[in-house]
Amino acid sequence: MEPILQVRDMVTRFYSVDGVVHAINGVNFDLYEGETLAVVGESGSGKSVTMMSIVNLIPQPPGKVEGGQAIFSYGEMAQDLLQLSEDEIRHVRGGQIGFIFQDPISSLNPTMTIGSQIAESMTEHLGFSASEARSKTVELLRNVGIPDSERRFNAYPHHFSGGMRQRVMIAIAVACRPKIVIADEPTTALDVTVQAQIVDLVKRLQEQMGVAVVWITHDLGVVAGLADRVLVMYGGTVVESAPVDNLYEDPRHPYTIGLLKAIPRLDATGEAETEELEVIEGVPPDLYQELTLCPFAPRCGYAFDRCWAEVPPLIEVGVQHGAACFYDVERGGPRNGS
Ligand SMILES: Nc1ncnc2c1ncn2[C@@H]1O[C@H](COP(=O)(O)OP(=O)(O)OP(=O)(O)O)[C@@H](O)[C@H]1O
Ligand SMILES: [Mg+2]
């Protein structure tokens, strides 16, 4: 199967008053049609900036995508999203790539009814007539679990609860039948029961529509039941990429191994039992420095001389399984050739 999105050597920096933030340092990954790709990693690892860079949503200045490619292809069409004009990329964002953010209230227009926000994007991107867009919107609202959708068409965002607003955001994201939906921590602000409902909703819509979903989270606990594949990010790089079962059973990057140990177990009430949580010692990398070594080396129990001298590339360690590490945790020693 061909990837619908191929990101290669992407570099994004922020030119702040305090210096240059090396936020994304050569990110590589593929996204396949119809799959769910989870992107995990601690705060500041570059999950959001990676996805924002691809669709030109980083604030510019201070941000700048300084290198790489993001080849978006389906059917006969293939284009490098990083080379598109502002108008072209806006069209891609509204039509072929949809977004669900953590905070729906700041992404919804407070002065427009939710129905007209959805219908407007259908008339703009799908060329529907006003009445066609209205009836498709009512149908879509019903499909995302908003009861009494005929009447709710005319409600404003502040009339909805957090969970219902997230359903509206999801409706907007899928309204134009996108090829890709990017969900950036869409359930973080919601309580546990509502979180599970939103996860189920996105899964169901994905099955109905065959859309590829990128699900950003720093919670590896929610990934198992959701993702086909996982990208683990650290210090603005992808340090491991694997099918979800492989990642849990056979993690190869010391950071991933540490993360998996840090998953809080949930008790019967869904409350995290934090006393079982293991944390990875040390602090995240200083992104004001250019990356010249393995970003995880200072926190890694396996680091040896090469790790301090070079940035490890993503090395193939199994079927569809890559790890950016010079140390072979399986054999217990530097990887062959390291
Ligand atoms: N506007 C900005 N100006 C300067 N630095 C920025 C800006 N936006 C992001 N960064 C920096 O880029 C790095 C990556 O940030 P990013 O938001 O992608 O992290 P993340 O993995 O999404 O974290 P979180 O889990 O907290 O959402 C961080 O060091 C962040 O401080
Ligand atoms: Mg983020």
Side-chain angles (χ1 to χ4, degrees):
M1 204 181 8
E2 282 298 299
I4 188 166
L5 181 67
Q6 291 173 282
V7 175
R8 293 293 174 268
D9 303 320
M10 195 168 67
V11 173
T12 302
R13 298 191 178 116
F14 292 94
Y15 291 84
S16 77
V17 284
D18 303 319
V20 182
V21 181
H22 298 80
I24 303 300
N25 300 297
V27 156
N28 289 284
F29 71 93
D30 291 338
L31 176 70
Y32 293 92
E33 216 171 322
E35 76 169 340
T36 300
L37 179 69
V39 182
V40 303
E42 64 193 12
S43 193
S45 58
K47 305 181 297 294
S48 299
V49 173
T50 294
M51 296 305 152
M52 299 292 168
S53 297
I54 291 167
V55 288
N56 197 15
L57 276 182
I58 58 165
Q60 224 169 331
K64 195 160 190 294
V65 181
E66 296 197 314
Q69 296 182 311
I71 309 294
F72 179 43
S73 42
Y74 61 92
E76 299 287 282
M77 196 276 314
Q79 53 190 353
D80 183 355
L81 298 179
L82 304 185
Q83 300 301 328
L84 298 186
S85 70
E86 181 49 44
D87 267 358
E88 291 168 330
I89 195 74
R90 194 176 312 124
H91 190 71
V92 170
R93 283 201 302 261
Q96 288 119 11
I97 303 184
F99 284 88
I100 310 168
F101 294 107
Q102 181 177 334
D103 176 18
I105 199 69
S106 62
S107 330
L108 292 168
N109 181 340
T111 67
M112 251 174 108
T113 68
I114 58 130
S116 41
Q117 293 186 51
I118 299 171
E120 189 179 69
S121 81
M122 287 180 175
T123 46
E124 188 185 334
H125 296 283
L126 299 176
F128 285 0
S129 70
S131 68
E132 203 176 0
R134 190 188 167 94
S135 69
K136 290 283 182 200
T137 298
V138 170
E139 191 183 313
L140 178 59
L141 288 173
R142 195 177 308 128
N143 195 13
V144 298
I146 293 177
D148 200 6
S149 57
E150 194 81 52
R151 197 173 54 84
R152 291 295 191 77
F153 184 100
N154 295 315
Y156 288 88
H158 66 267
H159 293 139
F160 288 81
S161 67
M164 282 294 164
R165 276 201 288 263
Q166 202 51 295
R167 289 176 190 271
V168 172
M169 268 309 289
I170 292 169
I172 293 174
V174 301
C176 298
R177 300 187 207 115
K179 297 285 172 191
I180 301 174
V181 167
I182 296 172
D184 193 346
E185 313 237 18
T187 63
T188 311
L190 306 171
D191 71 51
V192 180
T193 335
V194 182
Q195 279 185 16
Q197 291 167 0
I198 296 294
V199 170
D200 286 346
L201 170 62
V202 173
K203 276 161 89 170
R204 179 167 60 77
L205 292 172
Q206 178 176 35
E207 279 160 23
Q208 284 173 3
M209 309 174 100
V211 61
V213 174
V214 177
W215 190 284
I216 299 175
T217 174
H218 50 239
D219 181 1
L220 254 180
V222 306
V223 168
L226 182 75
D228 299 304
R229 287 190 311 123
V230 185
L231 287 187
V232 182
M233 291 198 64
Y234 189 85
T237 69
V238 173
V239 294
E240 186 154 7
S241 134
V244 65
D245 294 344
N246 278 12
L247 191 94
Y248 282 88
E249 284 158 23
D250 189 19
R252 297 300 185 87
H253 195 286
Y255 175 63
T256 312
I257 295 169
L259 261 191
L260 287 169
K261 285 190 186 145
I263 297 178
R265 295 191 182 21
L266 298 184
D267 67 20
T269 63
E271 296 291 317
E273 290 179 33
T274 42
E275 61 275 11
E276 294 201 27
L277 195 76
E278 275 187 49
V279 289
I280 305 172
E281 298 271 323
V283 293
D286 174 11
L287 297 175
Y288 286 108
Q289 306 290 326
E290 193 169 344
L291 192 62
T292 55
L293 68 160
C294 169
F296 193 60
R299 295 168 85 176
C300 182
Y302 303 105
F304 60 103
D305 47 0
R306 190 171 183 193
C307 311
W308 297 94
E310 278 177 60
V311 183
L314 212 51
I315 298 163
E316 204 176 311
V317 295
V319 180
Q320 285 195 333
H321 193 162
C325 182
F326 293 129
Y327 189 86
D328 187 340
V329 287
E330 199 186 31
R331 276 183 41 255
R335 198 172 289 291
N336 286 340
S338 295

